[in-house]
Amino acid sequence: MKIWLTAALATAAIAGAHAQASDPLKAAVAADNRLVGNVARDAARHPYETLSFFGIKPTDTVVELAPGGGWYTEILAPYLREAGQLYAADGGSVRFKAKMESMGVYGKVKITTFDAAKGLLDIAPAGTADAVLTFRNVHNWMSLGDGKAQAVFDAAFKALKPGGVLGVEEHRLPASRPQDPKADSGYVHEAVVIKFAENAGFKLAGRSEVNANPKDTADHPDGVWTLPPTYALKDKDRAKYQAIGESDRMTLKFVKP
């Protein structure tokens, strides 16, 4: 029985390796440069399904806006390393720069200057990108007021080639709830994101519910940060928020005509 189980496990491992070899995105999601804590969140963030929906190919030139700690960068960097190009449009984070210098797999990532508050929006050479991606950032730009969020969408349009894709994932506020113009709760109406994109010149090309969470009511004491992984209330009602899980998120695909 032990011999049979060992053989079965070995066969499964070989099959998994073949699947990764034939699907470079699966290989990037499974790459060993990813932090264990980040991998643990795949079940809530669905990176393979999300990037597949956006149609990202390994030959693409991709701009990741405000990569933060580099959760998606860990996947995009190896995926695009051989035949594509990744621009990380960062606000000058020393931590992120150090991460990009920590492993060879990040050696081709180009860090560009991006600071929505200061209007520094040269995220990539104009008309060169196949895709611009942003994950849970729109509320931050809205919080700046003064048209800063719209300026980011305009910059994405400028960076993209005709036919290029803007992929947006954002915490979703139910349409029945009033939208705070500065999105202090971290939640944004889907219609607001679509308006930013359309004002910039984009056309909505598709919606995906891959990151939806019907358990999230979007009315928590400390906004979206009440939920995991932040747990802003710390141990107060932690089991309740753990049961809800990460936020309900829209996943929208736009195209530059």
Side-chain angles (χ1 to χ4, degrees), residues 192-205:
V192 168
V193 174
I194 292 171
K195 185 176 181 181
F196 283 138
E198 291 181 341
N199 285 348
F202 290 102
K203 301 296 183 184
L204 179 64

Side-chain angles (χ1 to χ4, degrees), residues 209-253:
E209 290 299 295
V210 67
N211 292 303
N213 179 2
K215 295 180 181 179
D216 180 17
T217 56
D219 59 353
H220 315 298
D222 278 354
V224 71
W225 301 280
T226 309
L227 298 176
T230 306
Y231 290 111
L233 300 181
K234 301 190 183 298
D235 290 334
K236 183 180 179 182
D237 295 325
R238 189 180 183 92
K240 169 186 172 181
Y241 298 118
Q242 188 173 33
I244 293 172
E246 293 198 22
S247 67
D248 176 52
R249 300 186 299 276
M250 68 185 88
T251 306
L252 304 177
K253 179 179 179 179

Side-chain angles (χ1 to χ4, degrees), residues 130-152:
D130 296 291
V132 175
L133 306 178
T134 179
F135 304 96
R136 302 167 309 282
N137 286 310
V138 178
H139 61 280
N140 292 322
W141 306 327
M142 290 175 65
S143 73
L144 301 171
D146 197 28
K148 300 296 187 183
Q150 185 61 61
V152 175

Side-chain angles (χ1 to χ4, degrees), residues 63-251:
V63 182
E64 183 184 3
L65 295 177
W71 196 95
Y72 261 98
T73 314
E74 289 182 1
I75 298 169
L76 290 167
Y79 183 57
L80 301 170
R81 179 171 172 75
E82 297 302 322
Q85 178 62 61
L86 177 60
Y87 287 94
D90 181 59
S93 165
V94 174
R95 178 185 169 200
F96 182 77
K97 184 173 183 291
K99 181 168 186 167
M100 292 302 97
E101 294 172 349
S102 67
M103 293 185 187
V105 71
Y106 302 122
K108 280 187 62 182
V109 177
K110 293 183 179 179
I111 300 178
T112 54
T113 302
F114 174 70
D115 189 328
K118 296 179 180 178
L120 301 175
L121 301 172
D122 291 327
I123 58 176
T128 64
D130 296 291
V132 175
L133 306 178
T134 179
F135 304 96
R136 302 167 309 282
N137 286 310
V138 178
H139 61 280
N140 292 322
W141 306 327
M142 290 175 65
S143 73
L144 301 171
D146 197 28
K148 300 296 187 183
Q150 185 61 61
V152 175
F153 280 79
D154 294 345
F157 190 87
K158 179 181 177 181
L160 285 164
K161 302 172 182 176
V165 167
L166 170 65
V168 180
E169 180 193 323
E170 177 60 293
H171 311 295
R172 179 165 48 195
L173 183 69
S176 60
R177 302 266 300 284
Q179 175 71 68
D180 172 5
K182 291 199 171 184
D184 285 342
S185 69
Y187 289 95
V188 180
H189 280 160
E190 199 165 291
V192 168
V193 174
I194 292 171
K195 185 176 181 181
F196 283 138
E198 291 181 341
N199 285 348
F202 290 102
K203 301 296 183 184
L204 179 64
R207 294 177 168 96
S208 172
E209 290 299 295
V210 67
N211 292 303
N213 179 2
K215 295 180 181 179
D216 180 17
T217 56
D219 59 353
H220 315 298
D222 278 354
V224 71
W225 301 280
T226 309
L227 298 176
T230 306
Y231 290 111
L233 300 181
K234 301 190 183 298
D235 290 334
K236 183 180 179 182
D237 295 325
R238 189 180 183 92
K240 169 186 172 181
Y241 298 118
Q242 188 173 33
I244 293 172
E246 293 198 22
S247 67
D248 176 52
R249 300 186 299 276
M250 68 185 88
T251 306

